[in-house]
Amino acid sequence: MAESPRPYLGFMLDVCRHYMPIEDIFKLIDAAAVCGLNTMHWHLTDDQGWRIEIKKYPALTEIGSRRGNSLFGNVSETEHNCGFYTQEQARQVVAYARERGIDIVPEIEIPGHASAILAAYPQFGCRREVFQKGVLREIDMPYSYEVVTIPGIFPNLICAGKEESLRFLEDILDEMAELFPGPYVHIGGDEAVKLHWRRCPDCQRRIREEGLADEEALQRWLVLQIGEYLGKKGKKVIVFNECLSGGPLPEHFIVQHWLGNDLETAAFMKNGGKVIRSDTSHYYFDYPYSITDAFDIWSAPRIPHYAEGAEENLLGMECMLWTERIPNLNRAAQLLFPRLTAAALKATRPEDYPSWEAFSAALEETQEKLTGLGLTGAPKELWRLSPENREADRLADEQIRSAPGMEKVEREECRLLVQEALEKLLHQIGMPRSFALQVMDCAFQALPGYCGASYSDGGNGAEILAEQLLTAVKNKEEGPWEAIPQEIWIDTMKCFTRFVNEHYRSLGYYGFDRAFWTTRQIGARLFRIGQLEYELWEENGQRAIGLHIPSDTKMDMALLDESIEQAREFLKTHFPDWAQVPMECESWLLSPALIPMLPASSNILRFQRAFDITSVAPEPMDVLEWVFRLTEAQQKTTPLEDLAEDTSLQRSLKAFLLSGGKVGVAKGKLARRFSET
């Protein structure tokens, strides 16, 4: 299919949060033509409403188009909450727009923002795995769905694992493709939090069968399936840029960039992919003028930074109008004009307006035409805000957004995003799935409106681990971990998986019993860098960097030296006051009692010789935990005669302990390179 030679100049109209009568849509199409636009992106489905008739699935409009009083801020709770467009009305909109040189791009959200869809057809949502009483159970209908009456992000997704879900989407798209003959179909893909997918046996089976890395890759897989299906119908697919999180997309996809994933978008463009820019910084017109006024649009760079070097792949721009706090046409007009005109002029004829005065005059000329259509835009004092007017506009917008109950809505949305980050972290650190489910569900229960009726048991430290990881995630987003590199963050957090696996090796079931220790990791006072951990320790004005040897450390002297060098550079950058603080280690590995038991070439003894020993204590018997993998409770009940003898070190130490010897621990200061010992 040949690419349209004209640039993409569009605006997006969300009719889900507030339904817009068809007569008002006609007025906006007229206005778009006056402004010089050629595309209307019609956002027809979301959590708060399904707005287009699908004959094969009548419940989509019978149930999905209706909701009760809605809380979106200090706006009407009853105005335009319900309604949908018949297929005949959709054809009227398409024809009306075509006569004015405007294409209609319909959007059906896949896979997220699906609450209204699932309220009508819950069978296309996910099943759920829960870990209860030591057994993994599958729950067929674990969640309840409703057409949402508040703004935000929700975990309700179309199941990507069920074949019948794909057929359901294809049936809908069959009717959509027939209704909208233009070249594009938009399938969304933004803000799809994967909580249900991570718990779904069908989605997890799909991930395994397709050899996918994770749930982000599963979304990419689903998007590719839908894209291929629509491609056979002669359609190109537009998706939001979150869809690049699971990996690159083929060139026949078009990415709409609104927020984040800048590097992925840049790479997509450099490989030939086409992008529509809708950056929140300049193209979100539900935002107040205090965030983006017409002067900001005029003075902005014409090419976004992610498109530099690949400008030829910038398909065009689209201005967004999300309608949570826009219940009617009058409010829409105030926010759209003159900013919609400004965006069109900036995209097409910036050289004609070298000064703000010339640009403003062109806006005024267009504004007069729009007034003739019955659309009253923003007063001129909002076009280029003075500091005083900017603050007044900001306060007015804050008043619109504020209402009793909104603080709770916003708090729950933030908590949901923290839950998503927690669950991604559990995957990144390789937590065993059966225990990860318990940890995830312990945390998820704090959101009873979303978590469903069935969830995994706690116990075995899962609740404590959930609490600590939630703290860690918050500290990474806005806290002591925030500026620290991602790879160090992940390597450090892997201690939780190591401890859970060690618990399994000792007791035969997963659990977490190191909460007394991991407060250091979650508070960004202990870091894993290469083979070693480094703790920033301070007491009574004395500082030391404690060296810890994780159980998976490789006793390779070159790797240990590399770890020390990396740690010093890390400290120099992130904790400069600690860069020259001495490093100390307190461990059974430094105990002189080991010397006669091991050959001089032993890596353990080479490790010892890098330190100047400052003290030795016969207790505690850490060797029982680290060499024989006995928990504190097991140490009290396991006779020395029953200690394992699977390795030469275990055999030597067992004989030593049976003879009455004590390994204990020693403390030393790092004095030389490991490779020099």
Side-chain angles (χ1 to χ4, degrees):
M1 182 178 60
E3 187 73 63
S4 173
R6 62 179 184 171
Y8 184 108
L9 301 171
F11 79 105
M12 187 279 300
L13 178 62
D14 164 27
V15 293
C16 303
R17 279 52 180 262
H18 284 100
Y19 173 80
M20 184 170 283
I22 192 169
E23 297 78 10
D24 292 347
I25 293 177
F26 290 159
K27 284 189 177 183
L28 287 182
I29 290 172
D30 287 336
V34 168
C35 292
L37 302 183
N38 56 35
T39 305
M40 185 182 92
H41 168 186
W42 202 6
H43 184 76
L44 290 163
T45 74
D46 216 300
D47 293 294
Q48 295 84 0
W50 179 281
R51 302 299 186 200
I52 184 71
E53 178 188 21
I54 300 297
K55 293 188 180 296
K56 188 167 184 177
Y57 298 102
L60 286 171
T61 48
E62 290 170 359
I63 295 173
S65 71
R66 301 171 183 173
R67 66 168 191 262
N69 290 358
S70 302
L71 177 65
F72 293 116
N74 194 16
V75 295
S76 170
E77 295 187 4
T78 59
E79 188 175 1
H80 290 151
N81 288 336
C82 304
F84 68 92
Y85 307 96
T86 67
Q87 293 199 354
E88 179 54 35
Q89 286 176 317
R91 291 189 181 94
Q92 290 172 15
V93 170
V94 168
Y96 191 91
R98 185 190 295 118
E99 290 172 2
R100 288 150 182 80
I102 291 176
D103 291 332
I104 302 296
V105 177
E107 181 188 349
I108 300 297
E109 280 272 9
I110 300 171
H113 288 291
S115 299
I117 301 173
L118 296 174
Y121 293 97
Q123 65 267 37
F124 300 120
C126 285
R127 298 192 300 144
R128 181 170 182 173
E129 287 184 321
V130 296
F131 200 79
Q132 295 176 335
K133 298 180 179 178
V135 176
L136 199 61
R137 297 180 54 220
E138 294 182 359
I139 311 297
D140 284 339
M141 297 288 282
Y143 308 107
S144 60
Y145 305 104
E146 62 181 4
V147 183
V148 176
T149 58
I150 56 175
I153 298 171
F154 307 92
N156 304 322
L157 271 63
I158 298 291
C159 180
K162 296 175 181 175
E163 288 298 324
E164 54 267 35
S165 295
L166 269 66
R167 303 292 83 78
F168 171 65
L169 294 173
E170 290 170 357
D171 289 342
I172 291 171
L173 292 168
D174 285 344
E175 296 192 32
M176 295 293 290
E178 190 274 328
L179 283 173
F180 297 95
Y184 305 124
V185 172
H186 204 307
I187 60 170
D190 63 316
E191 299 178 329
V193 293
K194 311 297 193 300
L195 280 66
H196 289 183
W197 279 8
R198 292 191 189 93
R199 293 160 171 80
C200 176
D202 303 300
C203 290
Q204 294 304 310
R205 173 186 47 77
R206 181 81 74 186
I207 287 173
R208 292 191 302 273
E209 290 177 354
E210 298 294 335
L212 305 175
D214 55 20
E215 289 76 20
E216 298 299 333
L218 178 60
Q219 178 168 341
R220 177 179 180 272
W221 176 89
L222 178 60
V223 162
L224 290 175
Q225 302 303 305
I226 298 299
E228 182 178 344
Y229 187 79
L230 285 169
K232 293 175 181 176
K233 295 179 173 293
K235 304 291 186 181
K236 282 203 167 187
V237 176
I238 304 174
V239 294
F240 287 115
N241 58 284
E242 282 101 320
C243 289
L244 293 171
S245 297
L249 292 171
E251 285 185 28
H252 59 274
F253 278 82
I254 295 166
V255 167
Q256 184 169 1
H257 186 97
W258 71 286
L259 182 67
N261 290 93
D262 287 8
L263 294 177
E264 290 86 348
T265 300
F268 176 71
M269 295 187 73
K270 284 176 182 171
N271 286 325
K274 304 295 184 184
V275 166
I276 300 165
R277 65 180 303 197
S278 295
D279 312 297
T280 57
S281 55
H282 292 96
Y283 295 99
Y284 265 52
F285 294 165
D286 48 298
Y287 288 3
Y289 283 80
S290 53
I291 291 180
T292 302
D293 61 18
F295 180 81
D296 294 328
I297 296 169
W298 171 76
S299 58
R302 187 177 181 189
I303 303 299
H305 64 90
Y306 53 79
E308 291 173 0
E311 293 89 344
E312 70 278 6
N313 291 324
L314 195 61
L315 195 61
M317 67 85 192
E318 182 176 290
C319 307
M320 314 298 279
L321 192 73
W322 301 105
T323 60
E324 283 92 340
R325 285 164 286 277
I326 304 173
N328 52 53
L329 181 62
N330 289 339
R331 179 61 180 158
Q334 291 168 12
L335 290 167
L336 283 173
F337 309 114
R339 293 190 291 187
L340 200 57
T341 310
L345 293 177
K346 177 75 177 184
T348 55
R349 293 157 45 203
E351 64 281 353
D352 292 353
Y353 309 104
S355 69
W356 164 249
E357 288 71 24
F359 195 74
S360 178
L363 296 183
E364 204 162 347
E365 181 181 339
T366 304
Q367 202 78 336
E368 290 177 6
K369 297 176 183 176
L370 297 174
T371 301
L373 295 175
L375 297 170
T376 303
K380 199 165 183 182
E381 60 265 23
L382 293 182
W383 297 10
R384 183 179 182 178
L385 287 164
S386 66
E388 296 80 12
N389 285 344
R390 191 172 293 272
E391 178 61 12
D393 186 68
R394 185 192 68 79
L395 291 173
D397 181 70
E398 189 176 287
Q399 179 65 26
I400 290 173
R401 290 173 178 271
S402 300
M406 283 303 297
E407 184 178 339
K408 179 177 182 291
V409 170
E410 292 167 0
R411 187 169 60 249
E412 287 197 348
E413 181 178 353
C414 290
R415 176 59 181 75
L416 185 70
L417 295 176
V418 172
Q419 178 76 23
E420 174 80 349
L422 161 69
E423 297 189 4
K424 285 184 177 180
L425 177 60
L426 285 165
H427 175 78
Q428 289 171 310
I429 64 178
M431 185 65 65
R433 176 166 171 77
S434 63
F435 198 65
L437 277 174
Q438 295 177 72
V439 176
M440 288 155 50
D441 285 2
C442 284
F444 202 23
Q445 289 176 54
L447 293 164
Y450 306 141
C451 78
S454 299
Y455 38 79
S456 300
D457 295 335
N460 301 331
E463 301 98 329
I464 298 170
L465 180 50
E467 182 181 338
Q468 287 204 335
L469 286 182
L470 285 171
T471 300
V473 166
K474 292 172 185 175
N475 284 344
K476 179 60 177 165
E477 292 180 350
E478 189 175 15
W481 269 104
E482 185 177 8
I484 294 172
Q486 180 76 4
E487 62 270 19
I488 292 179
W489 149 255
I490 294 298
D491 283 349
T492 303
M493 293 300 108
K494 285 179 180 177
C495 72
F496 288 96
T497 302
R498 189 172 72 247
F499 293 152
V500 168
N501 285 331
E502 288 170 0
H503 188 283
Y504 183 87
R505 286 195 295 269
S506 294
L507 299 174
Y509 60 92
Y510 291 116
F512 175 66
D513 57 5
R514 303 291 181 86
F516 67 93
W517 176 263
T518 45
T519 55
R520 303 165 171 92
Q521 282 92 334
I522 64 176
R525 302 302 291 175
L526 187 151
F527 310 93
R528 176 74 181 260
I529 302 175
Q531 296 300 309
L532 300 171
E533 292 177 333
Y534 301 83
E535 181 182 1
L536 309 186
W537 177 85
E538 187 170 9
E539 188 174 35
N540 299 325
Q542 297 296 310
R543 286 182 169 185
I545 298 170
L547 290 185
H548 303 295
I549 309 98
S551 59
D552 61 350
T553 293
K554 295 178 182 177
M555 280 291 175
D556 179 301
M557 300 305 117
L559 292 178
L560 294 175
D561 282 338
E562 182 182 328
S563 175
I564 296 292
E565 291 166 9
Q566 290 173 344
R568 285 297 184 192
E569 286 301 314
F570 166 76
L571 293 168
K572 195 183 301 182
T573 302
H574 298 282
F575 298 90
D577 293 347
W578 289 79
Q580 301 305 319
V581 172
M583 293 184 176
E584 298 180 350
C585 182
E586 187 172 8
S587 171
W588 66 273
L589 288 166
L590 298 185
S591 173
L594 297 175
I595 296 174
M597 283 185 268
L598 300 169
S601 60
S602 162
N603 281 336
I604 291 178
L605 296 187
R606 290 190 68 190
F607 180 84
Q608 279 191 13
R609 291 195 288 266
F611 295 85
D612 289 340
I613 304 302
T614 57
S615 65
V616 179
E619 303 288 350
M621 292 288 278
D622 287 355
V623 69
L624 293 175
E625 177 181 354
W626 295 111
V627 177
F628 297 100
R629 295 174 178 169
L630 297 180
T631 66
E632 187 175 347
Q634 287 174 320
Q635 291 174 31
K636 296 175 182 177
T637 59
T638 303
L640 295 178
E641 293 82 0
D642 293 343
L643 293 178
E645 299 182 61
D646 299 327
T647 68
S648 58
L649 180 59
Q650 285 179 337
R651 290 191 289 273
S652 299
L653 284 171
K654 180 176 179 178
F656 178 72
L657 295 172
L658 284 170
S659 69
K662 288 184 177 290
V663 175
V665 298
K667 187 174 183 179
K669 287 189 175 182
L670 185 66
R672 55 198 63 85
R673 290 173 59 84
F674 293 101
S675 56
E676 296 171 355
T677 58

